[in-house]
Amino acid sequence: MSVLVFIDTADGQIKKSSLEAICYGAKVAEMSGTTAEGVVLGEVKDDLAALGKYGVKKIHHISNALLNHTDSQLYAKVIAQVAQATGAKTIIFSNNVNGKSIAPRVSARLKAGLVSGAISLPEISGPDFIVKKTVFSGKASANVSVKTETKIIALNPNAYKIESGEGTAEVVPFNADITAGKIKVIQTTKASGEIPLTEADIVVSGGRGMKGPENWGILEDLAKVLHAALACSRPVADSHWRPHSEHVGQTGVAIAPNLYIAVGISGAIQHLAGVNHSKIIVVINKDPEAPFFKAADYGIVGDAFEVVPKLTDAIKKLKEVAS
Amino acid sequence: MKILVCISKTPDTTAKIAFTDNNTKFDTNGVQWIINPYDEWYCLVRAIELKEKDASTVIHLVTVAEADADPIIRKALALGGDEAIRINTGSNDGYYIASQIAEWAKQGNYDLIFTGKETIDYNGSSVGGMVAELLDLPFVSLATKFELSGSKATITREIEGGEEACEVDLPLVVSCQAGVAEPRIPNMRGIMAARTKPLKVVDPVATEALTGYVSFELPPAKAGVKLVPADQPEELVRLLHEEAKAF
């Protein structure tokens, strides 16, 4: 009956989106009168027992070097084995990069209905199990009913708050049937110290109003004082001013940070789709008619090249006072 | 080399999103339909590029949809597919759709199956992974580069905060996003040729939907923007800190 949470790691460290999935899973377990267990694949550096403070009671750890890189084919087989051995009826993933490749495979393997992109807790009443998810790239949400006995939810990053209390998880090894995967990783490139866009609490984003890639320095400075990730609009990525991985919007990445600061972005409907789940939106644009102001919480009508450095200084001052 | 490109019909990116029947159905009134951008811009164009390098390559397009998808299938054929297969049924459940595609793919002996990273309507990003599982094939998701040398694929995929390059032997399933190819527009010769390319309509196999859409909601309207004068950014910082508690 238990709830099983897939705990995703990168370089042996637990991802923030997995902590969200654990907290969410613990709440779902509480709602269904059961407990949450976790599954971790590959060798880890972090202390798994400490994850108990997020509400997970037991962690099944398959510490096998063959699982150090995510291969969805291999991972789905192992997670399905754990789900069957523990009798889990609800399986939680983060709808992050790995979740998007593994959850569908586990769904097909166990013939368990999957809701990907979940943004709130399920509504459970009798046999009904309904989960809210984003659709139309964030322009709307939908309530989806899962009809199978085993249910799988892939939770959007930043959609559920991390809360910690007291507790230690029991970490147990799990004997899984593992054969080498077919995907051979040849290189991993990671910008060190950079915050992954989908996990960032604050995102600073630039559009065509920045006039060229050489002007990104002022946005980088702003992002630095806020510990924010950088993003951009589609025309910026298409013009190769910034990498495609920073493109947020309907045909790029969808994000839901606490704070989204858009500089020199007019706010086309396709861009809004990817960011309108942000909790607070700030728009800086010199055109008072820019459609983005209609979707914003706060705004400044002004020249980005004058406003942004002043804004950065003001934040620096605030942080100095606070420390 | 035989490639299967999965395509889906989606509303245009600028379509007004509204719902009817007490918010239980998407309002298709006045909606322009397009090929899901990820399927067209990256999967289909990359398949065409591979065929341009190796003329013996065969590209099949598959879609799970009713007859109203025919115009977008013809457009895809105008861009460059050899033949299209429409599995004649409508559904918005990922497993149902994936089961149909997997059944078709089983008899087609494809070396490579491309899907977009997600559709821009239901955002499931699940059909590719499910097809791979149903066929017991490797699956590389969120590809940003795809190269082929003989029967070995070299793929770069997105990971959190970076990229990972990997090698996989065919056959396999790949989901594609920006970077894999650059969008193209069909030319007149392609449009003419598409008229006579085969569009096979096949019956669905019996399977079930594991999920169902109960209702839809539009996001609540924003209360309105609070404008701060351009020469007072410290006031914006104060509001974000004290009122919005954003940092």
Side-chain angles (χ1 to χ4, degrees), chain A residues 15 105 109 133 136 298, chain B residues 121-122 124 133 160 165 243:
Chain A
K15 290 182 189 170
R105 296 198 76 126
R109 193 168 184 87
K133 65 161 285 181
F136 298 99
Y298 300 97
Chain B
D121 48 9
Y122 294 105
E133 186 64 25
E160 267 96 16
E243 188 179 80

Side-chain angles (χ1 to χ4, degrees), chain B residues 146-212:
Chain B
F146 181 91
E147 297 298 336
L148 202 56
S149 149
S151 65
K152 190 188 283 296
T154 305
I155 308 168
T156 303
R157 72 168 188 127
E158 176 194 336
I159 56 171
E160 267 96 16
E163 285 185 334
E164 187 174 83
C166 62
E167 284 177 353
V168 204
D169 286 327
L170 302 180
L172 85 152
V173 182
V174 182
S175 85
C176 300
Q177 61 172 336
V180 167
E182 295 287 337
R184 292 184 178 188
I185 40 172
N187 58 32
M188 195 39 89
R189 206 168 56 129
I191 294 166
M192 299 302 284
R195 291 185 186 168
T196 53
K197 284 181 183 171
L199 194 173
K200 258 188 221 156
V201 179
V202 299
D203 287 331
V205 291
T207 184
E208 60 199 296
L210 309 183
T211 61

Side-chain angles (χ1 to χ4, degrees), chain A residues 15 96 105 109 111 116 132-133 136-137 139 141 143 145 147 184 186-187 189 251 270 297-299, chain B residues 13 38 117 121-124 133 137 160 163 165 167 208 210 212 214-215 217 219 222 226 228 243:
Chain A
K15 290 182 189 170
N96 63 5
R105 296 198 76 126
R109 193 168 184 87
K111 225 177 164 188
S116 54
K132 186 178 285 190
K133 65 161 285 181
F136 298 99
S137 311
K139 290 175 196 164
S141 57
N143 294 301
S145 148
K147 298 169 178 173
K184 190 179 145 209
I186 48 179
Q187 199 187 5
T189 337
T251 53
Q270 294 94 331
D297 299 283
Y298 300 97
Chain B
T13 56
Y38 295 106
K117 82 157 185 178
D121 48 9
Y122 294 105
N123 308 124
E133 186 64 25
L137 291 177
E160 267 96 16
E163 285 185 334
E167 284 177 353
E208 60 199 296
L210 309 183
V214 180
S215 62
E217 289 163 29
K222 285 266 180 186
K226 226 178 232 184
V228 177
E243 188 179 80

Side-chain angles (χ1 to χ4, degrees), chain A residues 288-301:
Chain A
E289 301 299 320
F292 216 153
F293 283 115
K294 290 199 179 74
D297 299 283
Y298 300 97
I300 288 183
V301 179

Side-chain angles (χ1 to χ4, degrees), chain A residues 216-244:
Chain A
W216 242 256
I218 56 169
L219 297 186
E220 283 163 358
D221 291 345
L222 176 59
K224 204 170 165 194
V225 294
L226 287 169
H227 301 290
L230 282 169
C232 69
S233 65
R234 181 167 169 218
V236 166
D238 281 354
S239 314
H240 303 291
W241 294 0
R242 301 294 300 176
H244 276 300

Side-chain angles (χ1 to χ4, degrees), chain A residues 8 15 69-70 72-73 76-77 95-98 100-101 104-105 107-109 111-116 130 132-148 182-191 196 198-199 202 226 234 240 244 250-253 259 269-270 276 278-282 293-302 307 310-311 314-315 318-319, chain B residues 11-17 19 26 37-38 41-42 93 95 117-127 129-130 132-134 136-142 154 157-169 177-179 182-183 207-219 222 224-234 236-237 239-241 243-244 246-247:
Chain A
D8 193 14
K15 290 182 189 170
H69 282 289
T70 310
S72 62
Q73 194 172 19
K77 274 184 195 148
N95 196 36
N96 63 5
V97 170
N98 284 336
K100 281 178 182 172
S101 70
R105 296 198 76 126
S107 167
R109 193 168 184 87
K111 225 177 164 188
L114 162 69
V115 180
S116 54
I130 293 172
K132 186 178 285 190
K133 65 161 285 181
T134 55
V135 287
F136 298 99
S137 311
K139 290 175 196 164
S141 57
N143 294 301
V144 181
S145 148
V146 185
K147 298 169 178 173
T148 47
K182 293 177 185 156
I183 297 175
K184 190 179 145 209
V185 174
I186 48 179
Q187 199 187 5
T188 303
T189 337
K190 227 168 172 184
T198 51
E199 290 192 359
I202 303 178
L226 287 169
R234 181 167 169 218
H240 303 291
H244 276 300
Q250 187 158 19
T251 53
V253 183
L259 174 62
I269 185 169
Q270 294 94 331
N276 66 6
S278 309
K279 282 163 202 85
I280 305 287
I281 294 178
V282 174
F293 283 115
K294 290 199 179 74
D297 299 283
Y298 300 97
I300 288 183
V301 179
V307 173
K310 282 188 204 155
L311 189 61
I315 295 165
L318 176 86
K319 299 234 163 178
Chain B
D12 181 63
T13 56
T14 56
K16 182 178 178 327
I17 305 302
F19 303 98
F26 175 56
Y38 295 106
W41 298 347
Y42 313 119
D93 176 63
Y95 179 81
K117 82 157 185 178
E118 65 181 21
T119 57
I120 60 164
D121 48 9
Y122 294 105
N123 308 124
S125 54
S126 54
V127 169
M130 288 177 175
E133 186 64 25
L134 293 168
D136 198 23
L137 291 177
F139 173 51
V140 178
S141 58
L142 308 175
T154 305
R157 72 168 188 127
E158 176 194 336
I159 56 171
E160 267 96 16
E163 285 185 334
E164 187 174 83
C166 62
E167 284 177 353
V168 204
D169 286 327
Q177 61 172 336
E182 295 287 337
T207 184
E208 60 199 296
L210 309 183
T211 61
Y213 282 79
V214 180
S215 62
F216 296 91
E217 289 163 29
L218 290 170
K222 285 266 180 186
V225 60
K226 226 178 232 184
L227 287 177
V228 177
D231 56 356
Q232 292 172 27
E234 59 286 345
L236 176 62
V237 173
L239 286 167
L240 288 175
H241 181 62
E243 188 179 80
F247 47 76

